[in-house]
mmCIF file with all atom_site columns, all heavy atoms in Angstrom:
data_model
loop_
_atom_site.group_PDB
_atom_site.id
_atom_site.type_symbol
_atom_site.label_atom_id
_atom_site.label_alt_id
_atom_site.label_comp_id
_atom_site.label_asym_id
_atom_site.label_entity_id
_atom_site.label_seq_id
_atom_site.pdbx_PDB_ins_code
_atom_site.Cartn_x
_atom_site.Cartn_y
_atom_site.Cartn_z
_atom_site.occupancy
_atom_site.B_iso_or_equiv
_atom_site.pdbx_formal_charge
_atom_site.auth_seq_id
_atom_site.auth_comp_id
_atom_site.auth_asym_id
_atom_site.auth_atom_id
_atom_site.pdbx_PDB_model_num
ATOM 1  N N   . LEU A 1 75 ? 15.150 -26.153 6.490 1.00 0.00 ? 75 LEU A N   1
ATOM 2  C CA  . LEU A 1 75 ? 13.960 -25.717 5.749 1.00 0.00 ? 75 LEU A CA  1
ATOM 3  C C   . LEU A 1 75 ? 13.676 -24.250 6.037 1.00 0.00 ? 75 LEU A C   1
ATOM 4  O O   . LEU A 1 75 ? 13.463 -23.455 5.114 1.00 0.00 ? 75 LEU A O   1
ATOM 5  C CB  . LEU A 1 75 ? 12.757 -26.586 6.123 1.00 0.00 ? 75 LEU A CB  1
ATOM 6  C CG  . LEU A 1 75 ? 11.407 -26.143 5.544 1.00 0.00 ? 75 LEU A CG  1
ATOM 7  C CD1 . LEU A 1 75 ? 11.400 -26.238 4.015 1.00 0.00 ? 75 LEU A CD1 1
ATOM 8  C CD2 . LEU A 1 75 ? 10.263 -26.966 6.134 1.00 0.00 ? 75 LEU A CD2 1
ATOM 9  N N   . VAL A 1 76 ? 13.698 -23.886 7.320 1.00 0.00 ? 76 VAL A N   1
ATOM 10 C CA  . VAL A 1 76 ? 13.464 -22.491 7.720 1.00 0.00 ? 76 VAL A CA  1
ATOM 11 C C   . VAL A 1 76 ? 14.474 -21.572 7.041 1.00 0.00 ? 76 VAL A C   1
ATOM 12 O O   . VAL A 1 76 ? 14.103 -20.535 6.475 1.00 0.00 ? 76 VAL A O   1
ATOM 13 C CB  . VAL A 1 76 ? 13.525 -22.347 9.260 1.00 0.00 ? 76 VAL A CB  1
ATOM 14 C CG1 . VAL A 1 76 ? 13.621 -20.879 9.674 1.00 0.00 ? 76 VAL A CG1 1
ATOM 15 C CG2 . VAL A 1 76 ? 12.325 -23.011 9.913 1.00 0.00 ? 76 VAL A CG2 1
ATOM 16 N N   . LYS A 1 77 ? 15.746 -21.963 7.066 1.00 0.00 ? 77 LYS A N   1
ATOM 17 C CA  . LYS A 1 77 ? 16.800 -21.132 6.462 1.00 0.00 ? 77 LYS A CA  1
ATOM 18 C C   . LYS A 1 77 ? 16.580 -20.978 4.963 1.00 0.00 ? 77 LYS A C   1
ATOM 19 O O   . LYS A 1 77 ? 16.749 -19.892 4.408 1.00 0.00 ? 77 LYS A O   1
ATOM 20 C CB  . LYS A 1 77 ? 18.165 -21.753 6.738 1.00 0.00 ? 77 LYS A CB  1
ATOM 21 C CG  . LYS A 1 77 ? 19.324 -20.902 6.267 1.00 0.00 ? 77 LYS A CG  1
ATOM 22 C CD  . LYS A 1 77 ? 20.649 -21.534 6.629 1.00 0.00 ? 77 LYS A CD  1
ATOM 23 C CE  . LYS A 1 77 ? 21.799 -20.710 6.104 1.00 0.00 ? 77 LYS A CE  1
ATOM 24 N NZ  . LYS A 1 77 ? 23.103 -21.288 6.406 1.00 0.00 ? 77 LYS A NZ  1
ATOM 25 N N   . ASN A 1 78 ? 16.184 -22.068 4.292 1.00 0.00 ? 78 ASN A N   1
ATOM 26 C CA  . ASN A 1 78 ? 15.927 -22.006 2.850 1.00 0.00 ? 78 ASN A CA  1
ATOM 27 C C   . ASN A 1 78 ? 14.730 -21.121 2.522 1.00 0.00 ? 78 ASN A C   1
ATOM 28 O O   . ASN A 1 78 ? 14.724 -20.427 1.503 1.00 0.00 ? 78 ASN A O   1
ATOM 29 C CB  . ASN A 1 78 ? 15.694 -23.416 2.286 1.00 0.00 ? 78 ASN A CB  1
ATOM 30 C CG  . ASN A 1 78 ? 16.981 -24.090 1.902 1.00 0.00 ? 78 ASN A CG  1
ATOM 31 O OD1 . ASN A 1 78 ? 17.614 -23.751 0.926 1.00 0.00 ? 78 ASN A OD1 1
ATOM 32 N ND2 . ASN A 1 78 ? 17.391 -25.067 2.709 1.00 0.00 ? 78 ASN A ND2 1
ATOM 33 N N   . ILE A 1 79 ? 13.713 -21.143 3.368 1.00 0.00 ? 79 ILE A N   1
ATOM 34 C CA  . ILE A 1 79 ? 12.520 -20.325 3.119 1.00 0.00 ? 79 ILE A CA  1
ATOM 35 C C   . ILE A 1 79 ? 12.788 -18.854 3.399 1.00 0.00 ? 79 ILE A C   1
ATOM 36 O O   . ILE A 1 79 ? 12.421 -17.984 2.615 1.00 0.00 ? 79 ILE A O   1
ATOM 37 C CB  . ILE A 1 79 ? 11.319 -20.838 3.958 1.00 0.00 ? 79 ILE A CB  1
ATOM 38 C CG1 . ILE A 1 79 ? 10.842 -22.188 3.413 1.00 0.00 ? 79 ILE A CG1 1
ATOM 39 C CG2 . ILE A 1 79 ? 10.173 -19.831 3.945 1.00 0.00 ? 79 ILE A CG2 1
ATOM 40 C CD1 . ILE A 1 79 ? 9.807  -22.882 4.280 1.00 0.00 ? 79 ILE A CD1 1
ATOM 41 N N   . THR A 1 80 ? 13.447 -18.570 4.528 1.00 0.00 ? 80 THR A N   1
ATOM 42 C CA  . THR A 1 80 ? 13.668 -17.171 4.906 1.00 0.00 ? 80 THR A CA  1
ATOM 43 C C   . THR A 1 80 ? 14.816 -16.525 4.132 1.00 0.00 ? 80 THR A C   1
ATOM 44 O O   . THR A 1 80 ? 14.841 -15.313 3.957 1.00 0.00 ? 80 THR A O   1
ATOM 45 C CB  . THR A 1 80 ? 13.982 -17.047 6.418 1.00 0.00 ? 80 THR A CB  1
ATOM 46 O OG1 . THR A 1 80 ? 15.189 -17.765 6.699 1.00 0.00 ? 80 THR A OG1 1
ATOM 47 C CG2 . THR A 1 80 ? 12.837 -17.569 7.259 1.00 0.00 ? 80 THR A CG2 1
ATOM 48 N N   . GLY A 1 81 ? 15.773 -17.343 3.710 1.00 0.00 ? 81 GLY A N   1
ATOM 49 C CA  . GLY A 1 81 ? 16.924 -16.804 2.992 1.00 0.00 ? 81 GLY A CA  1
ATOM 50 C C   . GLY A 1 81 ? 17.922 -16.103 3.895 1.00 0.00 ? 81 GLY A C   1
ATOM 51 O O   . GLY A 1 81 ? 18.860 -15.465 3.420 1.00 0.00 ? 81 GLY A O   1
ATOM 52 N N   . ASP A 1 82 ? 17.744 -16.231 5.228 1.00 0.00 ? 82 ASP A N   1
ATOM 53 C CA  . ASP A 1 82 ? 18.687 -15.612 6.169 1.00 0.00 ? 82 ASP A CA  1
ATOM 54 C C   . ASP A 1 82 ? 20.044 -16.283 6.040 1.00 0.00 ? 82 ASP A C   1
ATOM 55 O O   . ASP A 1 82 ? 20.146 -17.497 6.103 1.00 0.00 ? 82 ASP A O   1
ATOM 56 C CB  . ASP A 1 82 ? 18.186 -15.736 7.613 1.00 0.00 ? 82 ASP A CB  1
ATOM 57 C CG  . ASP A 1 82 ? 16.958 -14.881 7.868 1.00 0.00 ? 82 ASP A CG  1
ATOM 58 O OD1 . ASP A 1 82 ? 16.696 -13.983 7.063 1.00 0.00 ? 82 ASP A OD1 1
ATOM 59 O OD2 . ASP A 1 82 ? 16.267 -15.123 8.877 1.00 0.00 ? 82 ASP A OD2 1
ATOM 60 N N   . LYS A 1 83 ? 21.110 -15.465 5.909 1.00 0.00 ? 83 LYS A N   1
ATOM 61 C CA  . LYS A 1 83 ? 22.439 -16.025 5.690 1.00 0.00 ? 83 LYS A CA  1
ATOM 62 C C   . LYS A 1 83 ? 23.502 -15.536 6.664 1.00 0.00 ? 83 LYS A C   1
ATOM 63 O O   . LYS A 1 83 ? 24.637 -15.946 6.596 1.00 0.00 ? 83 LYS A O   1
ATOM 64 C CB  . LYS A 1 83 ? 22.895 -15.730 4.258 1.00 0.00 ? 83 LYS A CB  1
ATOM 65 C CG  . LYS A 1 83 ? 22.012 -16.362 3.195 1.00 0.00 ? 83 LYS A CG  1
ATOM 66 C CD  . LYS A 1 83 ? 22.743 -16.500 1.896 1.00 0.00 ? 83 LYS A CD  1
ATOM 67 C CE  . LYS A 1 83 ? 21.941 -17.006 0.750 1.00 0.00 ? 83 LYS A CE  1
ATOM 68 N NZ  . LYS A 1 83 ? 20.920 -17.952 0.980 1.00 0.00 ? 83 LYS A NZ  1
#
Side-chain angles (χ1 to χ4, degrees):
L75 173 64
V76 166
K77 185 177 178 181
N78 273 288
I79 290 171
T80 62
D82 291 343
K83 298 202 185 326

